[in-house]
Every structure is written in C-alpha cells, then in structure tokens.
Amino acid sequence: MTGPRLVLVGPMGAGKSTVGRLLAERWDVPFRDTDDDVEQTEGRTISDIFVESGEEHFRAVETGAVARALAEHEGVLAIGGGAVMASDSRAALAAHRVVFLRVGLADAAARVGLGTSRPLLLGNVRGTMKALLDERTPVYESVAVAVVDTDGRTPDEVALAVEEALGG
C-alpha cells in the first residue's frame, strides 16, 4: 500500500496532531498535518482564510491538500476535522488505514478553549462544538478501521491505544 502508514481523523480537540507526532516519532516516520499544508499553500492562517475567502474556498483548498497528502506522504497523517465531510476525501480515505480519535464535548471544549483561532467556533463555542460532533461523528466512524476514545487519557495513552487498536 502506498500513502500514509496511518491517517488520524476526528474533531478539533481530539489530539490528532499531538498523537500523530508521538506515533511518528515512535515509528521513526515523518508526520504531516493537512491544516499546516493548507496554511502553507495559502500563505495565511486558516482563520484568515475563512474570514477573507470564506469556508467554501477553504474546503476546496483542504480537499486538494488531503488528496496530495494521501498520495505523497508515507508517515503519519492528521487531516482537518471537517475534511471528511467532502465526498472526494471520504472516497480517497477508503484505501487507507484510518483511526478516528473520538473525544467528548467536555474534553474537546477544554482542549480547544474559547476557539479564537477556530473560525467555526466563533460565538457559542459549546453549542457549535456539539452540533459539529453530532454531524461529523457518524462520518468519522464510517471512514475508520478503528475508533480510539481520548477522553481522560494523556496523549501517550492515546498513542498506545491507537497502536493496540491496529494490532501492535
């Protein structure tokens, strides 16, 4: 199989980047995050992209970033929380080993904070997070070969749980 050794999906606050970096270090492979790719491609932050160009533009750039990363990257890949909502991205993920890092509302809210750098969270943070979790969780589950709960766990504990879920 070409492409990433592992793809991590889940909502903001699930720990995709933190756990992904830990796993990449353990496995001695590179780590990549499509949110970073989008920011590099655009030369501005995701928040600025949303404000200046809108969510539709961001999602189009994100879909391209996911497709490129799935084709090019051979390490651990974290993809943005909303990337799975694009049918093209879901179809591309079908050929890869995907783990959904599941996080509850309380832990996600605590990890994300007030969401000032999270454009989708402006306003009612907890209400918006709950709506996003409710909408996206079934989609995350549909693309994943394994689901790992992150609530109440340290990043190291989550990384170990991912390894166990993948069979070692």
Side-chain angles (χ1 to χ4, degrees), residues 128-142:
T128 302
M129 285 185 81
K130 181 179 182 334
L132 289 171
L133 286 172
D134 290 348
E135 175 189 21
R136 294 177 178 174
T137 293
V139 181
Y140 295 135
E141 290 170 343
S142 75

Side-chain angles (χ1 to χ4, degrees), residues 105-125:
L105 178 61
D107 278 33
R111 293 174 189 168
V112 170
L114 295 177
T116 53
S117 66
R118 311 280 186 153
L120 287 179
L121 294 185
L122 297 178
N124 178 358
V125 174

Side-chain angles (χ1 to χ4, degrees), residues 8-159:
L8 295 173
V9 299
M12 58 189 92
K16 298 179 300 287
S17 296
T18 302
V19 171
R21 283 186 183 92
L22 284 171
L23 289 167
E25 186 177 303
R26 286 184 188 189
W27 298 341
D28 196 27
V29 297
F31 172 76
R32 185 167 172 177
D33 186 325
T34 60
D35 282 347
D36 294 339
D37 292 352
V38 168
E39 289 185 343
Q40 288 175 354
T41 297
E42 288 285 301
R44 53 192 172 149
T45 66
I46 289 172
S47 191
D48 286 346
I49 297 167
F50 265 78
V51 170
E52 297 165 7
S53 302
E55 183 176 1
E56 186 176 334
H57 174 77
F58 168 76
R59 295 297 175 200
V61 174
E62 179 182 53
T63 299
V66 169
R68 278 188 305 281
L70 289 171
E72 301 169 356
H73 187 68
E74 295 184 351
V76 177
L77 177 65
I79 67 169
V84 298
M85 301 310 287
S87 59
D88 288 350
S89 294
R90 284 195 306 277
L93 286 168
H96 298 278
R97 196 159 69 155
V98 178
V99 172
F100 166 33
L101 298 184
R102 182 168 44 207
V103 62
L105 178 61
D107 278 33
R111 293 174 189 168
V112 170
L114 295 177
T116 53
S117 66
R118 311 280 186 153
L120 287 179
L121 294 185
L122 297 178
N124 178 358
V125 174
R126 288 179 69 85
T128 302
M129 285 185 81
K130 181 179 182 334
L132 289 171
L133 286 172
D134 290 348
E135 175 189 21
R136 294 177 178 174
T137 293
V139 181
Y140 295 135
E141 290 170 343
S142 75
V143 299
V145 297
V147 177
V148 173
D149 289 306
T150 67
D151 286 357
R153 289 177 157 171
T154 67
D156 281 318
E157 290 168 337
V158 174

